[in-house]
């Protein structure tokens, strides 16, 4: 079955600390994975996709097929990074989302 | 350019009542989706549409119906609301069904 798992409901770090938001997936085939972010009182929006191998707002994510993971990382967290983060897997024209992780960056 | 607009933004229903949530997009997107967002459950797909006149079931379709009579609108109906349907509902649209989803601002529904 296709599934996305984000094991942490809440991740709390201090400003300047490294951040890693975990995402594991289950998919038969070549996966396409994404990270979406929802800032307070804003709409859900695309942060990055693994195909483009880009860095957005200092965040990167590498697809590890061996570990079936797509963890989101940032070396130095900022207070404005506080938000809900969703990992998503593309499947037959739709996205399957994980449970979401709330990132709280404390001053 | 409004993108994706959801109405209403908030609603309180009594158990057994019915209602329709409206999603409208002005980007001429083919694909439209309804998700519900619940704490600890993330976003779960209710129903989706790959074009005008088409609908398909998602992960949690029970208790909901949808219609896509016009390309720009995707309606989500609750025939007999239950407290378990208390949630935040998000609509999204996409041109290709790929990653480029545009989300609405959500509808917070409480069923008492």
């Amino acid at each position: 079955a296709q599934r996305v798992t984000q094991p942490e409901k809440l991740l709390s770090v201090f400003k300047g600390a490294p951040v890693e938001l975990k995402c594991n997936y289950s998919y038969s085939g070549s996966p396409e994975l994404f990270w979406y972010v929802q800032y307070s009182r804003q709409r859900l929006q695309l942060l990055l996709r693994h195909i483009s191998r880009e860095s957005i707002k200092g965040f990167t994510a590498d697809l590890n097929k061996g570990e079936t993971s797509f963890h989101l990382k940032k070396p130095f967290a900022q207070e404005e990074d506080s938000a809900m983060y969703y990992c998503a897997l593309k499947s037959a024209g739709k996205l399957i989302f994980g449970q979401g992780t709330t990132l709280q960056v404390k001053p | 350019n409004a993108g994706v607009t959801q109405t209403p933004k908030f609603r309180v229903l009594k158990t057994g009542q019915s209602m329709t949530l409206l999603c409208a997009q002005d980007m001429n997107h083919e694909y439209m989706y309804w998700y519900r967002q619940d704490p600890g459950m993330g976003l779960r797909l209710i129903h989706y549409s790959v074009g005008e006149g088409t609908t398909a079931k998602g992960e949690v379709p029970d208790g909901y119906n949808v219609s896509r009579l016009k390309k720009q609108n995707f309606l989500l109906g609750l025939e007999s609301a239950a407290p378990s349907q208390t949630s935040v509902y998000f609509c999204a649209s996409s041109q290709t069904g790929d990653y480029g989803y545009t989300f609405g601002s959500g509808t917070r529904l409480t069923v008492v």
Side-chain angles (χ1 to χ4, degrees):
Chain A
Q2 298 142 2
R3 187 166 54 245
V4 177
T5 303
Q6 294 178 250
E8 303 145 325
K9 286 187 179 180
L10 172 66
L11 183 63
S12 185
V13 302
F14 285 101
K15 177 183 174 182
V19 169
E20 181 178 68
L21 298 165
K22 291 183 167 49
C23 172
N24 290 91
Y25 66 90
S26 173
Y27 185 73
S28 55
S30 187
E32 285 189 52
L33 288 142
F34 312 89
W35 278 98
Y36 277 77
V37 60
Q38 187 178 27
Y39 300 103
S40 179
R41 293 184 293 278
Q42 293 188 28
R43 303 182 184 207
L44 204 66
Q45 57 188 283
L46 177 68
L47 180 62
L48 54 81
R49 52 194 297 233
H50 90 271
I51 284 181
S52 57
R53 299 185 63 82
E54 57 200 344
S55 173
I56 303 293
K57 298 185 179 183
F59 285 98
T60 59
D62 290 320
L63 177 62
N64 186 323
K65 292 186 178 180
E67 296 183 357
T68 60
S69 68
F70 187 56
H71 302 329
L72 184 67
K73 300 177 183 179
K74 185 170 183 177
F76 308 104
Q78 302 300 314
E79 290 181 67
E80 55 265 30
D81 296 329
S82 295
M84 173 74 86
Y85 290 81
Y86 288 99
C87 183
L89 170 70
K90 176 188 167 186
S91 173
K94 53 190 185 293
L95 289 179
I96 299 170
F97 287 86
Q99 301 92 324
T101 298
T102 298
L103 174 63
Q104 183 183 73
V105 181
K106 297 177 284 187
Chain B
N1 188 345
V4 176
T5 303
Q6 291 183 233
T7 53
K9 294 193 186 311
F10 304 93
R11 185 73 185 268
V12 178
L13 284 180
K14 293 183 179 179
T15 298
Q17 286 186 317
S18 64
M19 80 163 293
T20 300
L21 282 68
L22 171 64
C23 177
Q25 53 98 359
D26 60 5
M27 297 166 288
N28 203 36
H29 283 173
E30 291 293 334
Y31 293 71
M32 296 187 75
Y33 310 84
W34 276 108
Y35 286 88
R36 59 178 289 173
Q37 182 186 47
D38 301 291
M41 304 294 287
L43 287 163
R44 292 181 293 170
L45 183 64
I46 305 171
H47 286 280
Y48 64 105
S49 168
V50 300
E52 180 179 317
T54 76
T55 62
K57 293 181 180 180
E59 182 186 355
V60 287
D62 294 341
Y64 304 95
N65 57 75
V66 288
S67 65
R68 183 106 181 262
L69 298 179
K70 293 183 178 181
K71 187 176 184 178
Q72 64 267 33
N73 296 336
F74 195 30
L75 279 62
L76 178 70
L78 285 73
E79 292 182 346
S80 179
S84 61
Q85 294 177 305
T86 294
S87 186
V88 180
Y89 292 85
F90 286 98
C91 177
S93 71
S94 170
Q95 178 54 30
T96 61
D98 209 319
Y99 70 98
Y101 281 29
T102 300
F103 278 86
S105 57
T107 295
R108 185 174 296 275
L109 175 66
T110 302
V111 183
V112 298

